[in-house]
Amino acid sequence: MTDGQDLAVDGGPAVRTGPPLPSAMSADGRRIGAEEEAAVLRVLRSGMLSGVWGPEVPALAREFAEQVGSGHAVACSSGTAALHLAVAAVDPEPGDEIIVPPISDIGSVAPVLAQNAVPVFADVDPVTGCLDPDRVAELVSPRTRAIVVVHLFGKAADVTRLRALADANGVMLIEDCAQAYLTPVSAGSALAGTAGHLGCFSLQQHKHVTAGDGGLVVTDDAGLAERMRRFADKGWPRETGERAYLHFALNYRMTELVAAVAREQLRKLPDVVTARRRHAARLTAQLADLPGATLPADAGDHSYWYYPLLIDGLDEPGLQRYAAALTSEGVPAVPGYLRRPLYAEPVLREPRTYGMSGYPLRGSTEYSDGLCPVAESLVYRRLVVLPCNENFTDADVDDVAAAVRKVHTRLATGGAA
Ligand SMILES: *Cc1c(COP(=O)(O)O)cnc(C)c1O
């Protein structure tokens, strides 16, 4: 085995000697085949490539609403666009507040700025990295209009409590489900995306299924759905047949080619999620005895976009070294998921959203270090993100487990041999 051997990062033999692990960035880690090829040809041969008049985009919206268990779905050009549609549907007044998580893609936050609202960051749960409802409750103010919650890495956030909190305060709950396709919000229950007022999904290359780029929003509220359809289409009320622009809106339309591919990908989604759960369970079984490591919390409410591993006792360089060592063993690993919590990014620290005005943010000290200490400990010192792909073989999973065990035994102070 690997006992006694040097880490690959120090010149020893790597755990994985075969080809790179399947990943979302190559054909061997995707399920794109004859079905998608036929779908693209079907659209091309029809001569109609626009989702405004073609059949694919409306069919995708119907099928996705049904798959998620929601009344309506609106298709758009990206996950970020989906979140922009949702925030625009909330329709905040300038300076209103929207509570957001510090660990996410910037697509969870940029739409808040675009609609002239103030992102207010709430700290996260120390195991899941998802919004902590207690921290959110402390931040709800008379200016709060919405809460954006991310189901991080595919693990359900506590949306039951967040929805109750939202309803008690008359604000909307927006679920960012870009990493959480087919995630039950608790074992056996309704899916993520249906617990809030609005649920946003992404079809970007790295997600469970992809059309390159693309987005979807689900809601049970017909009025919100109509408003979002118009926000993706320049404010144009297509259903009336007249050329009118009813309110400020952009062009976030999805094309027929994207929708046709997305329809085929979504048919494959149940198998994709089932395979990822099986691989994650195998990995968890093999790592269960690792001292000083916390494996993903899974109560049947995880769809494993990635496999987040928490390590005790590392400092910032230690976490970087741990992830670099895994990558050298042949298991690409990302320390912290993000380089820093979102509030430490230049887009919020040196805001240039509207010229030099700083608007809509309220001052340079609002987003200082220490704002969300739990998020900072995860990003800087505890979280290592491991790959999880539907096309892994059992041997691939065993390689991931062996690499983690080898690196952990040598580098985790909490697990020193
Ligand atoms: C990917 C992602 C987004 C943004 O989606 P795009 O399609 O890349 O714009 C937003 N939120 C989360 C949590 C994501 O993972």
mmCIF file with all atom_site columns, all heavy atoms in Angstrom, residues 77-81 83 104-108 150 152 176-179 201-204 207 213-214 305 337, ligand 1:
data_model
loop_
_atom_site.group_PDB
_atom_site.id
_atom_site.type_symbol
_atom_site.label_atom_id
_atom_site.label_alt_id
_atom_site.label_comp_id
_atom_site.label_asym_id
_atom_site.label_entity_id
_atom_site.label_seq_id
_atom_site.pdbx_PDB_ins_code
_atom_site.Cartn_x
_atom_site.Cartn_y
_atom_site.Cartn_z
_atom_site.occupancy
_atom_site.B_iso_or_equiv
_atom_site.pdbx_formal_charge
_atom_site.auth_seq_id
_atom_site.auth_comp_id
_atom_site.auth_asym_id
_atom_site.auth_atom_id
_atom_site.pdbx_PDB_model_num
ATOM   1   N N   . SER A 1 77  ? -30.613 32.446 -19.422 1.00 0.00 ? 77  SER A N   1
ATOM   2   C CA  . SER A 1 77  ? -29.322 32.189 -20.055 1.00 0.00 ? 77  SER A CA  1
ATOM   3   C C   . SER A 1 77  ? -28.235 31.684 -19.117 1.00 0.00 ? 77  SER A C   1
ATOM   4   O O   . SER A 1 77  ? -27.192 31.225 -19.584 1.00 0.00 ? 77  SER A O   1
ATOM   5   C CB  . SER A 1 77  ? -28.849 33.471 -20.751 1.00 0.00 ? 77  SER A CB  1
ATOM   6   O OG  . SER A 1 77  ? -28.840 34.544 -19.826 1.00 0.00 ? 77  SER A OG  1
ATOM   7   N N   . SER A 1 78  ? -28.417 31.753 -17.806 1.00 0.00 ? 78  SER A N   1
ATOM   8   C CA  . SER A 1 78  ? -27.388 31.262 -16.874 1.00 0.00 ? 78  SER A CA  1
ATOM   9   C C   . SER A 1 78  ? -27.981 31.158 -15.473 1.00 0.00 ? 78  SER A C   1
ATOM   10  O O   . SER A 1 78  ? -29.096 31.650 -15.219 1.00 0.00 ? 78  SER A O   1
ATOM   11  C CB  . SER A 1 78  ? -26.184 32.226 -16.824 1.00 0.00 ? 78  SER A CB  1
ATOM   12  O OG  . SER A 1 78  ? -26.525 33.426 -16.150 1.00 0.00 ? 78  SER A OG  1
ATOM   13  N N   . GLY A 1 79  ? -27.227 30.553 -14.569 1.00 0.00 ? 79  GLY A N   1
ATOM   14  C CA  . GLY A 1 79  ? -27.640 30.522 -13.177 1.00 0.00 ? 79  GLY A CA  1
ATOM   15  C C   . GLY A 1 79  ? -27.657 31.916 -12.570 1.00 0.00 ? 79  GLY A C   1
ATOM   16  O O   . GLY A 1 79  ? -28.541 32.258 -11.769 1.00 0.00 ? 79  GLY A O   1
ATOM   17  N N   . THR A 1 80  ? -26.683 32.737 -12.952 1.00 0.00 ? 80  THR A N   1
ATOM   18  C CA  . THR A 1 80  ? -26.646 34.114 -12.471 1.00 0.00 ? 80  THR A CA  1
ATOM   19  C C   . THR A 1 80  ? -27.873 34.880 -12.968 1.00 0.00 ? 80  THR A C   1
ATOM   20  O O   . THR A 1 80  ? -28.499 35.644 -12.214 1.00 0.00 ? 80  THR A O   1
ATOM   21  C CB  . THR A 1 80  ? -25.353 34.802 -12.935 1.00 0.00 ? 80  THR A CB  1
ATOM   22  O OG1 . THR A 1 80  ? -24.235 34.020 -12.480 1.00 0.00 ? 80  THR A OG1 1
ATOM   23  C CG2 . THR A 1 80  ? -25.239 36.210 -12.391 1.00 0.00 ? 80  THR A CG2 1
ATOM   24  N N   . ALA A 1 81  ? -28.231 34.659 -14.235 1.00 0.00 ? 81  ALA A N   1
ATOM   25  C CA  . ALA A 1 81  ? -29.442 35.284 -14.774 1.00 0.00 ? 81  ALA A CA  1
ATOM   26  C C   . ALA A 1 81  ? -30.671 34.798 -14.010 1.00 0.00 ? 81  ALA A C   1
ATOM   27  O O   . ALA A 1 81  ? -31.584 35.584 -13.709 1.00 0.00 ? 81  ALA A O   1
ATOM   28  C CB  . ALA A 1 81  ? -29.576 34.970 -16.266 1.00 0.00 ? 81  ALA A CB  1
ATOM   29  N N   . LEU A 1 83  ? -30.855 33.912 -10.916 1.00 0.00 ? 83  LEU A N   1
ATOM   30  C CA  . LEU A 1 83  ? -30.896 34.640 -9.640  1.00 0.00 ? 83  LEU A CA  1
ATOM   31  C C   . LEU A 1 83  ? -31.287 36.091 -9.854  1.00 0.00 ? 83  LEU A C   1
ATOM   32  O O   . LEU A 1 83  ? -31.984 36.689 -9.021  1.00 0.00 ? 83  LEU A O   1
ATOM   33  C CB  . LEU A 1 83  ? -29.542 34.515 -8.932  1.00 0.00 ? 83  LEU A CB  1
ATOM   34  C CG  . LEU A 1 83  ? -29.395 33.131 -8.270  1.00 0.00 ? 83  LEU A CG  1
ATOM   35  C CD1 . LEU A 1 83  ? -27.977 32.622 -8.322  1.00 0.00 ? 83  LEU A CD1 1
ATOM   36  C CD2 . LEU A 1 83  ? -29.896 33.203 -6.826  1.00 0.00 ? 83  LEU A CD2 1
ATOM   37  N N   . SER A 1 104 ? -20.322 30.981 -1.635  1.00 0.00 ? 104 SER A N   1
ATOM   38  C CA  . SER A 1 104 ? -21.111 30.667 -2.824  1.00 0.00 ? 104 SER A CA  1
ATOM   39  C C   . SER A 1 104 ? -20.391 31.217 -4.038  1.00 0.00 ? 104 SER A C   1
ATOM   40  O O   . SER A 1 104 ? -19.350 31.868 -3.921  1.00 0.00 ? 104 SER A O   1
ATOM   41  C CB  . SER A 1 104 ? -22.515 31.293 -2.727  1.00 0.00 ? 104 SER A CB  1
ATOM   42  O OG  . SER A 1 104 ? -23.307 30.905 -3.837  1.00 0.00 ? 104 SER A OG  1
ATOM   43  N N   . ASP A 1 105 ? -20.973 30.960 -5.206  1.00 0.00 ? 105 ASP A N   1
ATOM   44  C CA  . ASP A 1 105 ? -20.560 31.642 -6.419  1.00 0.00 ? 105 ASP A CA  1
ATOM   45  C C   . ASP A 1 105 ? -21.060 33.092 -6.327  1.00 0.00 ? 105 ASP A C   1
ATOM   46  O O   . ASP A 1 105 ? -22.092 33.360 -5.699  1.00 0.00 ? 105 ASP A O   1
ATOM   47  C CB  . ASP A 1 105 ? -21.200 30.928 -7.612  1.00 0.00 ? 105 ASP A CB  1
ATOM   48  C CG  . ASP A 1 105 ? -20.791 31.509 -8.948  1.00 0.00 ? 105 ASP A CG  1
ATOM   49  O OD1 . ASP A 1 105 ? -19.758 31.073 -9.474  1.00 0.00 ? 105 ASP A OD1 1
ATOM   50  O OD2 . ASP A 1 105 ? -21.501 32.394 -9.461  1.00 0.00 ? 105 ASP A OD2 1
ATOM   51  N N   . ILE A 1 106 ? -20.359 33.996 -6.979  1.00 0.00 ? 106 ILE A N   1
ATOM   52  C CA  . ILE A 1 106 ? -20.764 35.411 -6.935  1.00 0.00 ? 106 ILE A CA  1
ATOM   53  C C   . ILE A 1 106 ? -22.138 35.623 -7.573  1.00 0.00 ? 106 ILE A C   1
ATOM   54  O O   . ILE A 1 106 ? -22.806 36.638 -7.315  1.00 0.00 ? 106 ILE A O   1
ATOM   55  C CB  . ILE A 1 106 ? -19.690 36.300 -7.602  1.00 0.00 ? 106 ILE A CB  1
ATOM   56  C CG1 . ILE A 1 106 ? -19.889 37.778 -7.260  1.00 0.00 ? 106 ILE A CG1 1
ATOM   57  C CG2 . ILE A 1 106 ? -19.674 36.107 -9.108  1.00 0.00 ? 106 ILE A CG2 1
ATOM   58  C CD1 . ILE A 1 106 ? -19.705 38.114 -5.797  1.00 0.00 ? 106 ILE A CD1 1
ATOM   59  N N   . GLY A 1 107 ? -22.576 34.645 -8.350  1.00 0.00 ? 107 GLY A N   1
ATOM   60  C CA  . GLY A 1 107 ? -23.911 34.717 -8.943  1.00 0.00 ? 107 GLY A CA  1
ATOM   61  C C   . GLY A 1 107 ? -25.029 34.799 -7.919  1.00 0.00 ? 107 GLY A C   1
ATOM   62  O O   . GLY A 1 107 ? -26.140 35.219 -8.235  1.00 0.00 ? 107 GLY A O   1
ATOM   63  N N   . SER A 1 108 ? -24.745 34.416 -6.658  1.00 0.00 ? 108 SER A N   1
ATOM   64  C CA  . SER A 1 108 ? -25.751 34.554 -5.597  1.00 0.00 ? 108 SER A CA  1
ATOM   65  C C   . SER A 1 108 ? -25.889 36.002 -5.139  1.00 0.00 ? 108 SER A C   1
ATOM   66  O O   . SER A 1 108 ? -26.876 36.344 -4.486  1.00 0.00 ? 108 SER A O   1
ATOM   67  C CB  . SER A 1 108 ? -25.363 33.715 -4.373  1.00 0.00 ? 108 SER A CB  1
ATOM   68  O OG  . SER A 1 108 ? -25.127 32.384 -4.709  1.00 0.00 ? 108 SER A OG  1
ATOM   69  N N   . VAL A 1 150 ? -28.078 29.107 -0.226  1.00 0.00 ? 150 VAL A N   1
ATOM   70  C CA  . VAL A 1 150 ? -27.426 28.165 -1.142  1.00 0.00 ? 150 VAL A CA  1
ATOM   71  C C   . VAL A 1 150 ? -27.392 26.782 -0.493  1.00 0.00 ? 150 VAL A C   1
ATOM   72  O O   . VAL A 1 150 ? -27.013 26.659 0.679   1.00 0.00 ? 150 VAL A O   1
ATOM   73  C CB  . VAL A 1 150 ? -25.988 28.627 -1.460  1.00 0.00 ? 150 VAL A CB  1
ATOM   74  C CG1 . VAL A 1 150 ? -25.255 27.569 -2.286  1.00 0.00 ? 150 VAL A CG1 1
ATOM   75  C CG2 . VAL A 1 150 ? -26.012 29.949 -2.201  1.00 0.00 ? 150 VAL A CG2 1
ATOM   76  N N   . LEU A 1 152 ? -25.232 24.221 -0.379  1.00 0.00 ? 152 LEU A N   1
ATOM   77  C CA  . LEU A 1 152 ? -23.823 24.144 -0.773  1.00 0.00 ? 152 LEU A CA  1
ATOM   78  C C   . LEU A 1 152 ? -23.383 22.707 -1.047  1.00 0.00 ? 152 LEU A C   1
ATOM   79  O O   . LEU A 1 152 ? -23.598 21.823 -0.207  1.00 0.00 ? 152 LEU A O   1
ATOM   80  C CB  . LEU A 1 152 ? -22.965 24.783 0.328   1.00 0.00 ? 152 LEU A CB  1
ATOM   81  C CG  . LEU A 1 152 ? -21.533 25.142 -0.048  1.00 0.00 ? 152 LEU A CG  1
ATOM   82  C CD1 . LEU A 1 152 ? -21.481 26.222 -1.140  1.00 0.00 ? 152 LEU A CD1 1
ATOM   83  C CD2 . LEU A 1 152 ? -20.760 25.607 1.193   1.00 0.00 ? 152 LEU A CD2 1
ATOM   84  N N   . ASP A 1 176 ? -30.937 29.103 -3.974  1.00 0.00 ? 176 ASP A N   1
ATOM   85  C CA  . ASP A 1 176 ? -29.947 28.945 -5.030  1.00 0.00 ? 176 ASP A CA  1
ATOM   86  C C   . ASP A 1 176 ? -29.592 27.459 -5.078  1.00 0.00 ? 176 ASP A C   1
ATOM   87  O O   . ASP A 1 176 ? -28.849 26.957 -4.239  1.00 0.00 ? 176 ASP A O   1
ATOM   88  C CB  . ASP A 1 176 ? -28.724 29.816 -4.728  1.00 0.00 ? 176 ASP A CB  1
ATOM   89  C CG  . ASP A 1 176 ? -27.638 29.702 -5.794  1.00 0.00 ? 176 ASP A CG  1
ATOM   90  O OD1 . ASP A 1 176 ? -27.679 28.731 -6.584  1.00 0.00 ? 176 ASP A OD1 1
ATOM   91  O OD2 . ASP A 1 176 ? -26.741 30.570 -5.819  1.00 0.00 ? 176 ASP A OD2 1
ATOM   92  N N   . CYS A 1 177 ? -30.172 26.774 -6.069  1.00 0.00 ? 177 CYS A N   1
ATOM   93  C CA  . CYS A 1 177 ? -30.032 25.317 -6.199  1.00 0.00 ? 177 CYS A CA  1
ATOM   94  C C   . CYS A 1 177 ? -29.035 24.944 -7.294  1.00 0.00 ? 177 CYS A C   1
ATOM   95  O O   . CYS A 1 177 ? -29.096 23.831 -7.830  1.00 0.00 ? 177 CYS A O   1
ATOM   96  C CB  . CYS A 1 177 ? -31.387 24.692 -6.504  1.00 0.00 ? 177 CYS A CB  1
ATOM   97  S SG  . CYS A 1 177 ? -32.691 25.139 -5.353  1.00 0.00 ? 177 CYS A SG  1
ATOM   98  N N   . ALA A 1 178 ? -28.127 25.854 -7.633  1.00 0.00 ? 178 ALA A N   1
ATOM   99  C CA  . ALA A 1 178 ? -27.187 25.591 -8.726  1.00 0.00 ? 178 ALA A CA  1
ATOM   100 C C   . ALA A 1 178 ? -26.354 24.341 -8.467  1.00 0.00 ? 178 ALA A C   1
ATOM   101 O O   . ALA A 1 178 ? -25.888 23.689 -9.398  1.00 0.00 ? 178 ALA A O   1
ATOM   102 C CB  . ALA A 1 178 ? -26.272 26.799 -8.920  1.00 0.00 ? 178 ALA A CB  1
ATOM   103 N N   . GLN A 1 179 ? -26.161 24.007 -7.179  1.00 0.00 ? 179 GLN A N   1
ATOM   104 C CA  . GLN A 1 179 ? -25.357 22.832 -6.824  1.00 0.00 ? 179 GLN A CA  1
ATOM   105 C C   . GLN A 1 179 ? -26.237 21.705 -6.292  1.00 0.00 ? 179 GLN A C   1
ATOM   106 O O   . GLN A 1 179 ? -25.714 20.708 -5.784  1.00 0.00 ? 179 GLN A O   1
ATOM   107 C CB  . GLN A 1 179 ? -24.312 23.238 -5.766  1.00 0.00 ? 179 GLN A CB  1
ATOM   108 C CG  . GLN A 1 179 ? -23.458 24.418 -6.214  1.00 0.00 ? 179 GLN A CG  1
ATOM   109 C CD  . GLN A 1 179 ? -22.448 24.871 -5.173  1.00 0.00 ? 179 GLN A CD  1
ATOM   110 O OE1 . GLN A 1 179 ? -22.361 24.304 -4.085  1.00 0.00 ? 179 GLN A OE1 1
ATOM   111 N NE2 . GLN A 1 179 ? -21.668 25.894 -5.511  1.00 0.00 ? 179 GLN A NE2 1
ATOM   112 N N   . PHE A 1 201 ? -31.676 27.483 -10.666 1.00 0.00 ? 201 PHE A N   1
ATOM   113 C CA  . PHE A 1 201 ? -30.801 26.390 -11.096 1.00 0.00 ? 201 PHE A CA  1
ATOM   114 C C   . PHE A 1 201 ? -29.890 26.866 -12.223 1.00 0.00 ? 201 PHE A C   1
ATOM   115 O O   . PHE A 1 201 ? -30.200 27.829 -12.911 1.00 0.00 ? 201 PHE A O   1
ATOM   116 C CB  . PHE A 1 201 ? -31.647 25.211 -11.581 1.00 0.00 ? 201 PHE A CB  1
ATOM   117 C CG  . PHE A 1 201 ? -32.485 24.572 -10.496 1.00 0.00 ? 201 PHE A CG  1
ATOM   118 C CD1 . PHE A 1 201 ? -33.691 25.148 -10.100 1.00 0.00 ? 201 PHE A CD1 1
ATOM   119 C CD2 . PHE A 1 201 ? -32.065 23.421 -9.859  1.00 0.00 ? 201 PHE A CD2 1
ATOM   120 C CE1 . PHE A 1 201 ? -34.470 24.561 -9.106  1.00 0.00 ? 201 PHE A CE1 1
ATOM   121 C CE2 . PHE A 1 201 ? -32.828 22.833 -8.861  1.00 0.00 ? 201 PHE A CE2 1
ATOM   122 C CZ  . PHE A 1 201 ? -34.032 23.396 -8.482  1.00 0.00 ? 201 PHE A CZ  1
ATOM   123 N N   . SER A 1 202 ? -28.776 26.152 -12.397 1.00 0.00 ? 202 SER A N   1
ATOM   124 C CA  . SER A 1 202 ? -27.792 26.500 -13.427 1.00 0.00 ? 202 SER A CA  1
ATOM   125 C C   . SER A 1 202 ? -27.483 25.290 -14.298 1.00 0.00 ? 202 SER A C   1
ATOM   126 O O   . SER A 1 202 ? -27.446 24.153 -13.815 1.00 0.00 ? 202 SER A O   1
ATOM   127 C CB  . SER A 1 202 ? -26.500 26.994 -12.762 1.00 0.00 ? 202 SER A CB  1
ATOM   128 O OG  . SER A 1 202 ? -25.436 27.028 -13.704 1.00 0.00 ? 202 SER A OG  1
ATOM   129 N N   . LEU A 1 203 ? -27.233 25.539 -15.563 1.00 0.00 ? 203 LEU A N   1
ATOM   130 C CA  . LEU A 1 203 ? -26.830 24.489 -16.511 1.00 0.00 ? 203 LEU A CA  1
ATOM   131 C C   . LEU A 1 203 ? -25.407 24.729 -17.004 1.00 0.00 ? 203 LEU A C   1
ATOM   132 O O   . LEU A 1 203 ? -25.036 24.300 -18.094 1.00 0.00 ? 203 LEU A O   1
ATOM   133 C CB  . LEU A 1 203 ? -27.809 24.458 -17.691 1.00 0.00 ? 203 LEU A CB  1
ATOM   134 C CG  . LEU A 1 203 ? -29.231 24.002 -17.342 1.00 0.00 ? 203 LEU A CG  1
ATOM   135 C CD1 . LEU A 1 203 ? -30.226 24.446 -18.406 1.00 0.00 ? 203 LEU A CD1 1
ATOM   136 C CD2 . LEU A 1 203 ? -29.265 22.487 -17.179 1.00 0.00 ? 203 LEU A CD2 1
ATOM   137 N N   . GLN A 1 204 ? -24.616 25.419 -16.200 1.00 0.00 ? 204 GLN A N   1
ATOM   138 C CA  . GLN A 1 204 ? -23.240 25.743 -16.549 1.00 0.00 ? 204 GLN A CA  1
ATOM   139 C C   . GLN A 1 204 ? -22.395 24.462 -16.567 1.00 0.00 ? 204 GLN A C   1
ATOM   140 O O   . GLN A 1 204 ? -22.802 23.422 -16.011 1.00 0.00 ? 204 GLN A O   1
ATOM   141 C CB  . GLN A 1 204 ? -22.739 26.778 -15.516 1.00 0.00 ? 204 GLN A CB  1
ATOM   142 C CG  . GLN A 1 204 ? -21.369 27.330 -15.749 1.00 0.00 ? 204 GLN A CG  1
ATOM   143 C CD  . GLN A 1 204 ? -20.350 26.692 -14.838 1.00 0.00 ? 204 GLN A CD  1
ATOM   144 O OE1 . GLN A 1 204 ? -20.663 25.881 -14.001 1.00 0.00 ? 204 GLN A OE1 1
ATOM   145 N NE2 . GLN A 1 204 ? -19.093 27.064 -15.036 1.00 0.00 ? 204 GLN A NE2 1
ATOM   146 N N   . LYS A 1 207 ? -21.915 21.943 -13.498 1.00 0.00 ? 207 LYS A N   1
ATOM   147 C CA  . LYS A 1 207 ? -23.036 21.463 -12.673 1.00 0.00 ? 207 LYS A CA  1
ATOM   148 C C   . LYS A 1 207 ? -23.352 19.988 -12.948 1.00 0.00 ? 207 LYS A C   1
ATOM   149 O O   . LYS A 1 207 ? -22.782 19.388 -13.838 1.00 0.00 ? 207 LYS A O   1
ATOM   150 C CB  . LYS A 1 207 ? -24.263 22.346 -12.902 1.00 0.00 ? 207 LYS A CB  1
ATOM   151 C CG  . LYS A 1 207 ? -23.984 23.845 -12.828 1.00 0.00 ? 207 LYS A CG  1
ATOM   152 C CD  . LYS A 1 207 ? -23.282 24.313 -11.558 1.00 0.00 ? 207 LYS A CD  1
ATOM   153 C CE  . LYS A 1 207 ? -23.186 25.846 -11.551 1.00 0.00 ? 207 LYS A CE  1
ATOM   154 N NZ  . LYS A 1 207 ? -22.391 26.380 -10.447 1.00 0.00 ? 207 LYS A NZ  1
ATOM   155 N N   . ASP A 1 213 ? -24.073 26.710 -20.790 1.00 0.00 ? 213 ASP A N   1
ATOM   156 C CA  . ASP A 1 213 ? -24.635 27.732 -19.898 1.00 0.00 ? 213 ASP A CA  1
ATOM   157 C C   . ASP A 1 213 ? -26.144 27.626 -20.000 1.00 0.00 ? 213 ASP A C   1
ATOM   158 O O   . ASP A 1 213 ? -26.671 27.070 -20.964 1.00 0.00 ? 213 ASP A O   1
ATOM   159 C CB  . ASP A 1 213 ? -24.191 29.150 -20.298 1.00 0.00 ? 213 ASP A CB  1
ATOM   160 C CG  . ASP A 1 213 ? -22.948 29.633 -19.551 1.00 0.00 ? 213 ASP A CG  1
ATOM   161 O OD1 . ASP A 1 213 ? -22.900 29.469 -18.317 1.00 0.00 ? 213 ASP A OD1 1
ATOM   162 O OD2 . ASP A 1 213 ? -22.037 30.173 -20.212 1.00 0.00 ? 213 ASP A OD2 1
ATOM   163 N N   . GLY A 1 214 ? -26.821 28.195 -19.023 1.00 0.00 ? 214 GLY A N   1
ATOM   164 C CA  . GLY A 1 214 ? -28.280 28.161 -19.016 1.00 0.00 ? 214 GLY A CA  1
ATOM   165 C C   . GLY A 1 214 ? -28.767 28.243 -17.586 1.00 0.00 ? 214 GLY A C   1
ATOM   166 O O   . GLY A 1 214 ? -28.014 27.960 -16.651 1.00 0.00 ? 214 GLY A O   1
ATOM   167 N N   . TRP A 1 305 ? -22.699 17.570 -5.385  1.00 0.00 ? 305 TRP A N   1
ATOM   168 C CA  . TRP A 1 305 ? -22.046 18.302 -6.483  1.00 0.00 ? 305 TRP A CA  1
ATOM   169 C C   . TRP A 1 305 ? -20.535 18.080 -6.367  1.00 0.00 ? 305 TRP A C   1
ATOM   170 O O   . TRP A 1 305 ? -19.870 17.761 -7.342  1.00 0.00 ? 305 TRP A O   1
ATOM   171 C CB  . TRP A 1 305 ? -22.396 19.792 -6.396  1.00 0.00 ? 305 TRP A CB  1
ATOM   172 C CG  . TRP A 1 305 ? -21.834 20.591 -7.516  1.00 0.00 ? 305 TRP A CG  1
ATOM   173 C CD1 . TRP A 1 305 ? -21.980 20.352 -8.855  1.00 0.00 ? 305 TRP A CD1 1
ATOM   174 C CD2 . TRP A 1 305 ? -21.032 21.761 -7.405  1.00 0.00 ? 305 TRP A CD2 1
ATOM   175 N NE1 . TRP A 1 305 ? -21.298 21.322 -9.574  1.00 0.00 ? 305 TRP A NE1 1
ATOM   176 C CE2 . TRP A 1 305 ? -20.720 22.188 -8.713  1.00 0.00 ? 305 TRP A CE2 1
ATOM   177 C CE3 . TRP A 1 305 ? -20.545 22.511 -6.325  1.00 0.00 ? 305 TRP A CE3 1
ATOM   178 C CZ2 . TRP A 1 305 ? -19.948 23.316 -8.970  1.00 0.00 ? 305 TRP A CZ2 1
ATOM   179 C CZ3 . TRP A 1 305 ? -19.785 23.646 -6.580  1.00 0.00 ? 305 TRP A CZ3 1
ATOM   180 C CH2 . TRP A 1 305 ? -19.489 24.044 -7.886  1.00 0.00 ? 305 TRP A CH2 1
ATOM   181 N N   . TYR A 1 337 ? -12.719 25.815 -1.195  1.00 0.00 ? 337 TYR A N   1
ATOM   182 C CA  . TYR A 1 337 ? -13.679 26.047 -2.282  1.00 0.00 ? 337 TYR A CA  1
ATOM   183 C C   . TYR A 1 337 ? -13.460 27.427 -2.894  1.00 0.00 ? 337 TYR A C   1
ATOM   184 O O   . TYR A 1 337 ? -13.305 27.556 -4.098  1.00 0.00 ? 337 TYR A O   1
ATOM   185 C CB  . TYR A 1 337 ? -15.125 25.857 -1.795  1.00 0.00 ? 337 TYR A CB  1
ATOM   186 C CG  . TYR A 1 337 ? -16.201 26.305 -2.768  1.00 0.00 ? 337 TYR A CG  1
ATOM   187 C CD1 . TYR A 1 337 ? -16.188 25.891 -4.098  1.00 0.00 ? 337 TYR A CD1 1
ATOM   188 C CD2 . TYR A 1 337 ? -17.240 27.130 -2.349  1.00 0.00 ? 337 TYR A CD2 1
ATOM   189 C CE1 . TYR A 1 337 ? -17.175 26.294 -4.986  1.00 0.00 ? 337 TYR A CE1 1
ATOM   190 C CE2 . TYR A 1 337 ? -18.234 27.529 -3.239  1.00 0.00 ? 337 TYR A CE2 1
ATOM   191 C CZ  . TYR A 1 337 ? -18.195 27.120 -4.551  1.00 0.00 ? 337 TYR A CZ  1
ATOM   192 O OH  . TYR A 1 337 ? -19.180 27.532 -5.425  1.00 0.00 ? 337 TYR A OH  1
HETATM 193 C C1  . LIG B 2 .   ? -22.666 28.047 -10.540 1.00 0.00 ? 1   LIG B C1  1
HETATM 194 C C2  . LIG B 2 .   ? -23.371 28.781 -9.463  1.00 0.00 ? 1   LIG B C2  1
HETATM 195 C C3  . LIG B 2 .   ? -24.039 29.988 -9.711  1.00 0.00 ? 1   LIG B C3  1
HETATM 196 C C4  . LIG B 2 .   ? -23.971 30.712 -11.010 1.00 0.00 ? 1   LIG B C4  1
HETATM 197 O O1  . LIG B 2 .   ? -24.398 29.976 -12.108 1.00 0.00 ? 1   LIG B O1  1
HETATM 198 P P1  . LIG B 2 .   ? -23.881 30.377 -13.571 1.00 0.00 ? 1   LIG B P1  1
HETATM 199 O O2  . LIG B 2 .   ? -24.701 29.506 -14.459 1.00 0.00 ? 1   LIG B O2  1
HETATM 200 O O3  . LIG B 2 .   ? -22.420 30.029 -13.600 1.00 0.00 ? 1   LIG B O3  1
HETATM 201 O O4  . LIG B 2 .   ? -24.125 31.815 -13.772 1.00 0.00 ? 1   LIG B O4  1
HETATM 202 C C5  . LIG B 2 .   ? -24.730 30.572 -8.678  1.00 0.00 ? 1   LIG B C5  1
HETATM 203 N N1  . LIG B 2 .   ? -24.767 30.024 -7.461  1.00 0.00 ? 1   LIG B N1  1
HETATM 204 C C6  . LIG B 2 .   ? -24.136 28.878 -7.178  1.00 0.00 ? 1   LIG B C6  1
HETATM 205 C C7  . LIG B 2 .   ? -24.232 28.315 -5.797  1.00 0.00 ? 1   LIG B C7  1
HETATM 206 C C8  . LIG B 2 .   ? -23.387 28.214 -8.160  1.00 0.00 ? 1   LIG B C8  1
HETATM 207 O O5  . LIG B 2 .   ? -22.736 27.088 -7.867  1.00 0.00 ? 1   LIG B O5  1
#
